[in-house]
Amino acid sequence: MTNHWIDIGNADVIMIIGSNPAENHPISWRWVEKAREKNGAKVISVDPRYTRTSAQSDIFVPLRSGTDIAFIGGMIKHIIENECYNRDYVAEYTNGSFLVDKGYEFDPETGLFSGYNEAERAYDTKNWAYQTDAEGVPTRDTSLTHPDCVFQKLRAHYADYTPEAVSEVTGTPVERLLEVYETYSASGEPGKSGTIMYAMGATQHTYGTQNVRSYAVLQLLLGNIGLAGGGVNALRGLHNVQGSTDMCLLFHILPGYLATPVEADQSLQEYLDRVTPTTNMPGSVNWWQHTPKYMVSLLKAWYGEAATAENEFGFNWLPKNGENYSYIALFEAMYAGDIKGLISFGTNPAVSGPNSNMERAALRKLDWMVAIDLWPTETANVWREPGVDSTAVDTEVFLLPAASFVEREGSVTNSGRWIQWRYKAIEPVGDSKPDTWIANMIWLELRRLYEQEGGPNKEAILNLTWDYGDGEPDAEQVAREISGTALADLYDKEKKLVARAGEQVKNFTELKDDGSTACGNWLYNYYTREGNLAKRRDTDDPSGIGLYSNWSWCWPINRRIIYNRASIRPDTGRPWDPEDAVIVWDPETEKWVGDVPDGGTPPGTILPFIMKPEGVGRLFGMGHVDGPFPVHYEPWESPVENKLHSTQNNPCFKIWNSEMDLKGEKEEFPVIGTTYRVSEMMQTGAMTRFLPWLVELQPELFVEMGQELAEERGIVSGEHVKVRSARGEVKAVAVVTPRFKPFSLNGTSVHEVGILWHYGYQGLATGDSGNLLTPHVGDANTMIPEYKAFLCDVQKA
Amino acid sequence: MRDKVATLIDLTKCVGCRACQVACKEWNGLEGQTTSNRGTYENPPSLSPETWTKIDFIESSGEEGVDWTFLKQQCLHCTDAACAEVCPTKALRTHPLGFVSLEEDRCNGCGYCAEFCPFGIPQMKITSLLAGTAVASKCTFCQDRLTSGMEPICSKSCPAGAISFGLRNDMVLKGEERVAALKESRDDGAKINLYGANLLGGLGMMYVLPDEPGAFGLPSDPSGSYSLAAAWQGLLQPLGGILIGVGAVTAGINWIIARRMANQAVAARAEAGKGADRD
């Protein structure tokens, strides 16, 4: 989230798209209601079917799965043509005024940008750049009229996304489109704010990144970023998903979103030169210029005294990223026999993975698997799946019982980036152990083996700082290591001592690139010289807008609303919305009051988007493999042709071709399928399907469908049906409902059904997982699987 | 006497997550039942001795589109409570705090409460098939929590803030203000109403309803059952204490009366529920 949960209560209009918060984040509804009470906020629910969220929303917008960009593109066109955008914000705080390189082109006919190489399925992105003057400063036209400026390119980009054209793609009636466009665009008025609540309905597409990009473009046009009640807000599906992302549980980043070294980075300097941005833009803070301090401090946290300037702080001990190590790619490699072993740490891919039949088969090809969980999940017992000949499975499975979240201490980071300390409530049951204990034991044994036997790149193992004793590591010690420590006495610019060696750093501004500080994650400075700030529980809110700045601690630097200098008018230096001001400049004290600002200098001195080298928000977004503006494409499997452009699918995502990577065609599978969760079940059901109270509520897999489809197939609500895709078949109970309507696309009626993925063959409630149906393809940028739109068919069982 | 308390259940905020339904079972030690999906999100199918509160998923569709409302079912804790009035053993009593308390060990399993309740709430749990004994069960307003200074578990667990708890006067005021505000702000606000402020001497659990009570199967005037219960209590029950033989006879009569009442209530509910297509 750019903002945080409580801040939803400050919005004037709330657009819920690609998420179902009443269902999956019920606590968020408290803040949605708060916004209604406080501001009379309008609540918009955009979803393929009428959900529990829709039931309590003001406007329900039916939208065919996978057509967000058409929908948002149409809204962008509406906003530009009706001049609902915040002109000063766009001119001063976004790259709308920047002139784009003359070589950049977009062909609305094909839906392709210049530089596409079909054989490689990749773009040459060199022209996705700004024009610059002789000093290397981007050329701008703040009148936003120059034909080369981003704003005019954006206008041209969505010129064809008329309400009628959008309606034919999304299936939303034109009048409903106009109603929601007008309602949401009203947040562009200075002093008003609109928020977007999104989740996996947005991301789990072959163009998921661009779906979210379209929300960002929309919010920048309306001047909704940096304001209370604004932002682009990802609702995380678990209590610590944000924390795991921040701490690098993804293959392409190190802790704190530092780039992973690649093979071409032959030295630390080469790496730093590649990843550290520079800028000539006046007023740009370009915060990533500090990358060397963060990277060297990270290496010092990992390699301690072994990391010296002479050996580049151990940079070359780090593994270099040479391949696609994303989730789908790993399972393709397992299936191909290239990966022989797996540690599955609190995850259940046999149920959660796309094309689960294929992923289960891949797991059964492993030589060994360590499954670490509360009890045997479908993954741990993949060799015992009903119908599988266990004697033919050679995978050796080690099940390590793990302590649950109430049985261990540590921090969790919520969607709003708040790092909150959690205490152990009870001792772990039986032989179960905390994750950190398990990791420590594995590590100690690994190190012992390397000490005895050596091995390739053994320094990477033997030089690692690992001083957590021989039991459960002390969570507070880990917190201090993550937060950052002075290794030598630290002085500020005035040569004043700020920290003695061994003390915690105050925050990342004290980190150095000379090896005198160690920091496991530059964003996570919550354990300071004042102690563990994640434990703070002060319920005072002097801000009046729900910042609760002394409750826990939030990254970065306890800033609750990021890019908050954009909440200040460029002309007057006063807040756009004085009633819900995030920060206010006090000329008496010459300080900002309110939230921690993105830089403490007076108004008008620096640009607000400090993480971008050009200092402004990007309507034109470089850095994505599939284009600087979002383009509507169809899902990999779709029953219709792309009506807006001749290119059917995102031209850049990876298509796999093992014998189990099958694609369905609309003739055999005419129905759109999507997957989702319900309140009563959690993820793969690994916990909830073992609890009688929850099993009572949702005892069986169901498929939700409209009355029209049920009638066509002679299906009665409550009876068992079969749902088939090119990849598998599931048995489910039909929930036939008027809440799911067919989509009318230019006269053709298209049905969509929704299916849960909470079920498997373990637990009190068993059944098929909806993921037996989903395809093994993912987003072009992030590789997140396309769970949310595929082709299937439904028949009576 | 202490001030009465009440809860206010706001159907315009409820998202049907059923945290209350689960929390009720957890706090009160009620078991999960074996169920099946009947083509709906709703489960278990009805209140039972193991289910003291449940959410009804009420789905409707018409020209104005679809609607989905979530009605929390449980004892409404009437001030003029027919169940307490007819209870021969005083197992059910109106507590000074404003709820209908239940002491299971005083219950003789006669079932009058279940028959007379205008909302069809109390459920009889068979304790011995052989001896033909049973015991009444229903929401107790978490009397153990309330008398220990805590709020009921349902309001405590509600993430959406749809269930409020407090002094009854405050809850009535809150309900009235909420209804007035919604009538003002919502295009479809005309039918929004506060249910239970004055019914049966005032309900301990009131609703903010988005539509007329009948749309949710709630009787708009449940007072008849209480009058009958009061008459029964005043005239017949004392005889039962004096003359066991006569008591047996009156019990038979009572049963007949009770059956009729219950059937009427069920019919009224069914009538009221027409047009509300249960999901």
Side-chain angles (χ1 to χ4, degrees):
Chain A
M1 284 185 170
T2 55
N3 297 41
H4 58 98
W5 290 109
I6 294 172
D7 184 64
I8 294 165
N10 293 317
D12 293 293
V13 53
I14 297 169
M15 184 155 68
I16 299 166
I17 181 166
S19 71
N20 185 1
E23 183 95 46
N24 296 317
H25 308 84
I27 191 69
S28 69
W29 210 257
R30 189 171 285 265
W31 307 112
V32 173
E33 289 295 338
K34 174 86 177 171
R36 285 179 147 155
E37 279 168 30
K38 182 178 165 183
N39 299 326
K42 290 285 177 214
V43 182
I44 301 161
S45 164
V46 187
D47 205 285
R49 64 175 169 139
Y50 190 94
T51 64
R52 291 191 230 202
T53 297
S54 317
Q56 295 296 22
S57 298
D58 297 293
I59 305 175
F60 167 59
V61 185
L63 182 96
R64 175 169 66 93
S65 281
T67 61
D68 297 50
I69 292 171
F71 171 70
I72 299 288
M75 195 179 314
I76 290 169
K77 177 182 168 69
H78 175 94
I79 287 166
I80 293 176
E81 289 190 350
N82 294 284
E83 299 186 357
C84 309
Y85 54 95
N86 183 330
R87 209 205 153 278
D88 288 353
Y89 189 107
V90 172
E92 302 298 333
Y93 292 163
T94 78
N95 65 7
S97 62
F98 289 46
L99 305 194
V100 178
D101 188 285
K102 295 272 188 199
Y104 163 82
E105 273 177 45
F106 174 71
D107 178 0
E109 169 56 32
T110 60
L112 293 173
F113 298 92
S114 49
Y116 185 61
N117 180 328
E118 197 170 349
E120 303 267 319
R121 285 182 65 78
Y123 281 104
D124 177 349
T125 63
K126 70 173 189 297
N127 296 122
W128 304 355
Y130 304 131
Q131 297 176 26
T132 53
D133 65 16
E135 275 76 53
V137 177
T139 317
R140 299 171 68 198
D141 169 29
T142 51
S143 75
L144 306 177
T145 54
H146 194 290
D148 286 350
C149 83
V150 165
F151 184 77
Q152 293 301 330
K153 295 285 181 195
L154 181 67
R155 178 199 293 270
H157 188 85
Y158 292 116
D160 298 336
Y161 287 49
T162 61
E164 294 72 23
V166 170
S167 175
E168 286 186 15
V169 173
T170 64
T172 317
V174 169
E175 60 276 19
R176 194 71 61 90
L177 282 175
L178 292 174
E179 182 188 8
V180 70
Y181 287 176
E182 277 165 25
T183 304
Y184 196 75
S185 302
S187 69
E189 191 185 319
K192 297 287 179 192
S193 60
T195 187
I196 292 180
M197 298 167 74
Y198 80 93
M200 258 77 100
T203 58
Q204 289 174 343
H205 293 279
T206 40
Y207 36 80
T209 304
Q210 296 289 357
N211 281 343
V212 181
R213 273 277 303 142
S214 74
Y215 309 158
V217 170
L218 177 68
Q219 291 293 67
L220 286 170
L221 278 179
L222 295 170
N224 279 335
I225 303 280
L227 277 75
V232 177
N233 294 305
L235 316 181
R236 303 304 214 144
L238 281 166
H239 57 268
N240 202 20
V241 172
Q242 186 65 50
S244 65
T245 314
D246 301 338
M247 287 306 296
C248 84
L249 281 183
L250 289 168
F251 78 100
H252 68 298
I253 45 170
L254 301 176
Y257 303 92
L258 295 167
T260 316
V262 297
E263 283 163 9
D265 301 323
Q266 286 301 302
S267 69
L268 174 62
Q269 198 54 51
E270 277 177 48
Y271 164 82
L272 292 175
D273 289 346
R274 180 175 67 86
V275 302
T276 310
T278 57
T279 185
N280 295 315
M281 183 76 192
S284 172
V285 172
N286 187 26
W287 199 262
W288 281 114
Q289 68 175 291
H290 302 294
T291 300
K293 300 171 189 172
Y294 307 150
M295 186 63 184
V296 171
S297 297
L298 177 64
L299 288 166
K300 287 296 290 182
W302 281 351
Y303 289 116
E305 290 181 5
T308 62
E310 290 69 38
N311 65 17
E312 302 175 75
F313 301 103
F315 173 77
N316 278 313
W317 298 329
L318 294 182
K320 306 291 194 291
N321 191 0
E323 290 197 35
N324 180 351
Y325 295 118
S326 69
Y327 180 89
I328 286 177
L330 292 180
F331 275 87
E332 292 284 345
M334 278 179 240
Y335 188 77
D338 296 337
I339 290 179
K340 305 287 188 190
L342 172 72
I343 299 182
S344 173
F345 223 132
T347 183
N348 191 9
V351 174
S352 63
N355 196 359
S356 301
N357 280 325
M358 185 258 194
E359 295 205 349
R360 290 172 188 177
L363 291 170
R364 287 190 284 265
K365 290 188 176 192
L366 293 168
D367 291 347
W368 57 267
M369 169 168 55
V370 181
I372 304 170
D373 222 312
L374 302 183
W375 43 65
T377 62
E378 284 77 5
T379 299
N381 273 359
V382 73
W383 55 283
R384 300 174 68 177
E385 180 184 354
V388 166
D389 176 9
S390 298
T391 60
V393 181
D394 291 332
T395 314
E396 189 173 5
V397 179
F398 305 88
L399 177 68
L400 304 184
S404 78
F405 63 94
V406 295
E407 297 168 337
R408 51 190 157 87
E409 184 181 18
S411 73
V412 287
T413 308
N414 73 11
S415 306
R417 298 166 283 105
W418 294 20
I419 304 168
Q420 304 185 82
W421 199 257
R422 200 158 57 180
Y423 300 88
K424 176 158 68 176
I426 55 168
E427 288 300 319
V429 173
D431 290 335
S432 59
K433 296 288 185 188
D435 293 352
T436 49
W437 184 94
I438 294 170
N440 195 23
M441 291 304 124
I442 293 174
W443 177 261
L444 292 175
E445 180 62 11
L446 196 66
R447 186 166 70 185
R448 190 187 66 77
L449 289 169
Y450 267 90
E451 277 167 354
Q452 283 183 356
E453 299 170 15
N457 197 17
K458 65 179 187 299
E459 296 84 1
I461 307 293
L462 298 177
N463 288 336
L464 204 69
T465 308
W466 197 274
D467 49 0
Y468 308 115
D470 56 4
E472 181 186 352
D474 174 9
E476 301 251 9
Q477 181 193 344
V478 176
R480 284 192 294 274
E481 183 177 344
I482 290 170
S483 296
T485 312
L487 301 174
D489 292 350
L490 301 181
Y491 298 88
D492 64 12
K493 282 179 202 149
E494 282 83 44
K495 309 276 185 219
K496 203 178 120 212
L497 181 75
V498 292
R500 292 207 174 277
E503 286 185 336
Q504 291 298 102
V505 296
K506 179 184 172 195
N507 56 46
F508 51 63
T509 62
E510 289 180 2
L511 297 177
K512 309 280 184 198
D513 60 5
D514 61 2
S516 60
T517 55
C519 180
N521 184 340
W522 71 277
L523 285 171
Y524 267 48
N525 324 118
Y526 64 88
Y527 203 126
T528 71
R529 295 192 279 277
E530 295 170 44
N532 186 345
L533 303 185
K535 290 181 173 177
R536 294 189 299 181
R537 294 294 183 267
D538 187 335
T539 53
D540 281 348
D541 179 34
S543 74
I545 55 164
L547 297 179
Y548 295 98
S549 299
N550 292 316
W551 176 285
S552 75
W553 189 88
C554 144
W555 73 259
I557 210 162
N558 208 29
R559 183 176 298 134
R560 305 280 157 146
I561 297 177
I562 57 179
Y563 313 122
N564 56 28
R565 285 185 71 116
S567 71
I568 299 299
R569 300 180 70 108
D571 49 356
T572 63
R574 304 280 304 156
W576 294 105
D577 182 0
E579 280 177 27
D580 287 339
V582 184
I583 52 171
V584 178
W585 178 255
D586 180 355
E588 299 280 310
T589 59
E590 298 200 321
K591 281 200 165 76
W592 291 96
V593 180
D595 199 6
V596 178
D598 277 288
T601 58
T605 50
I606 55 173
L607 291 169
F609 288 84
I610 63 170
M611 304 312 287
K612 293 286 174 229
E614 63 273 45
V616 294
R618 287 180 176 172
L619 299 174
F620 185 85
M622 302 84 92
H624 306 286
V625 300
D626 48 355
F629 290 132
V631 181
H632 168 72
Y633 302 112
E634 288 292 326
W636 187 50
E637 289 184 343
S638 169
V640 294
E641 285 180 1
N642 188 345
K643 289 214 176 73
L644 287 164
H645 312 286
S646 62
T647 304
Q648 175 75 356
N649 299 128
N650 184 325
C652 298
F653 71 92
K654 167 100 177 161
I655 297 168
W656 303 87
N657 47 21
S658 83
E659 73 265 20
M660 289 189 82
D661 284 315
L662 301 170
K663 184 181 183 193
E665 300 299 335
K666 62 176 186 270
E667 290 73 24
E668 189 180 358
F669 303 104
V671 177
I672 302 165
T674 191
T675 60
Y676 40 74
R677 310 189 299 175
V678 289
S679 302
E680 299 82 3
M681 288 284 159
M682 181 71 179
Q683 311 289 62
T684 68
M687 290 189 288
T688 49
R689 279 186 289 109
F690 286 77
L691 290 169
W693 292 322
L694 298 177
V695 169
E696 174 191 87
L697 299 176
Q698 292 291 2
E700 291 174 84
L701 177 69
F702 68 75
V703 55
E704 214 162 5
M705 67 182 78
Q707 293 164 325
E708 297 79 2
L709 176 63
E711 201 162 303
E712 275 180 28
R713 305 293 157 93
I715 293 166
V716 178
S717 196
E719 73 175 335
H720 282 95
V721 294
K722 283 188 300 190
V723 189
R724 291 186 310 123
S725 80
R727 295 156 295 276
E729 177 181 310
V730 302
K731 196 178 155 202
V733 176
V735 171
V736 179
T737 169
R739 295 179 293 98
F740 224 143
K741 297 275 187 220
F743 295 99
S744 176
L745 311 175
N746 196 21
T748 342
S749 187
V750 177
H751 297 293
E752 180 165 344
V753 299
I755 190 152
L756 307 182
W757 55 278
H758 295 301
Y759 295 85
Y761 38 85
Q762 298 290 123
L764 299 173
T766 56
D768 292 326
S769 166
N771 280 324
L772 297 175
L773 308 172
T774 52
H776 223 230
V777 293
D779 173 57
N781 288 285
T782 67
M783 279 70 90
I784 192 171
E786 186 158 73
Y787 292 109
K788 291 299 183 235
F790 56 92
L791 287 179
C792 65
D793 196 23
V794 189
Q795 298 291 348
K796 284 171 87 81
Chain B
M1 196 177 95
R2 282 179 285 179
D3 289 331
K4 282 186 174 182
V5 296
T7 56
L8 178 67
I9 302 166
D10 190 340
L11 268 60
T12 68
K13 288 186 178 180
C14 175
V15 292
C17 75
R18 299 193 275 186
C20 55
Q21 199 175 322
V22 174
C24 174
K25 293 214 165 195
E26 186 178 20
W27 180 262
N28 293 300
L30 305 173
E31 286 185 9
Q33 305 294 289
T34 302
T35 58
S36 62
N37 187 309
R38 298 162 292 123
T40 166
Y41 283 48
E42 187 178 311
N43 247 328
S46 62
L47 292 177
S48 75
E50 296 296 335
T51 304
W52 294 351
T53 187
K54 73 172 278 260
I55 302 287
D56 286 357
F57 287 67
I58 301 167
E59 197 175 70
S60 59
S61 64
E63 281 175 17
E64 289 163 29
V66 293
D67 206 1
W68 211 14
T69 315
F70 315 109
L71 175 71
K72 184 178 184 296
Q73 289 267 28
Q74 78 290 300
C75 173
L76 296 178
H77 297 281
C78 321
T79 300
D80 296 337
C83 61
E85 201 64 32
V86 299
C87 180
T89 62
K90 297 292 165 209
L92 286 159
R93 281 193 285 195
T94 48
H95 190 279
L97 277 173
F99 59 90
V100 179
S101 66
L102 171 64
E103 288 173 81
E104 281 190 13
D105 50 5
R106 295 181 71 142
C107 174
N108 70 358
C110 70
Y112 296 157
C113 54
E115 302 291 357
F116 273 83
C117 173
F119 305 104
I121 299 298
Q123 304 288 314
M124 301 308 295
K125 182 180 188 176
I126 308 294
T127 48
S128 168
L129 270 177
L130 208 60
T133 55
V135 64
S137 70
K138 70 166 194 74
C139 158
T140 67
F141 215 124
C142 286
Q143 65 193 55
D144 49 351
R145 293 177 60 89
L146 237 63
T147 50
S148 306
M150 293 185 281
E151 67 181 302
I153 199 66
C154 58
S155 64
K156 178 79 178 169
S157 63
C158 178
I163 311 176
S164 312
F165 169 78
L167 293 175
R168 190 167 192 282
N169 290 339
D170 294 345
M171 290 299 104
V172 172
L173 194 64
K174 183 172 182 167
E176 287 169 351
E177 285 174 356
R178 175 74 178 159
V179 168
L182 289 170
K183 276 182 184 292
E184 177 103 10
S185 67
R186 294 211 178 171
D187 300 338
D188 58 349
K191 290 179 178 172
I192 291 175
N193 67 92
L194 176 63
Y195 185 82
N198 300 310
L199 291 177
L200 295 167
L203 302 184
M205 291 214 182
M206 295 171 284
Y207 292 111
V208 172
L209 298 177
D211 204 344
E212 287 151 1
F216 307 98
L218 292 166
S220 48
D221 180 13
S223 60
S225 63
Y226 178 71
S227 310
L228 197 65
W232 176 84
Q233 158 81 349
L235 287 172
L236 299 177
Q237 202 191 21
L239 294 172
I242 297 159
L243 295 164
I244 290 166
V246 175
V249 172
T250 55
I253 296 166
N254 294 339
W255 190 84
I256 293 162
I257 295 169
R259 281 300 320 161
R260 210 176 62 219
M261 276 305 305
N263 288 339
Q264 283 170 357
V266 168
R269 260 173 85 80
E271 184 62 29
K274 269 185 192 162
D277 199 12
R278 289 293 159 100
D279 175 81

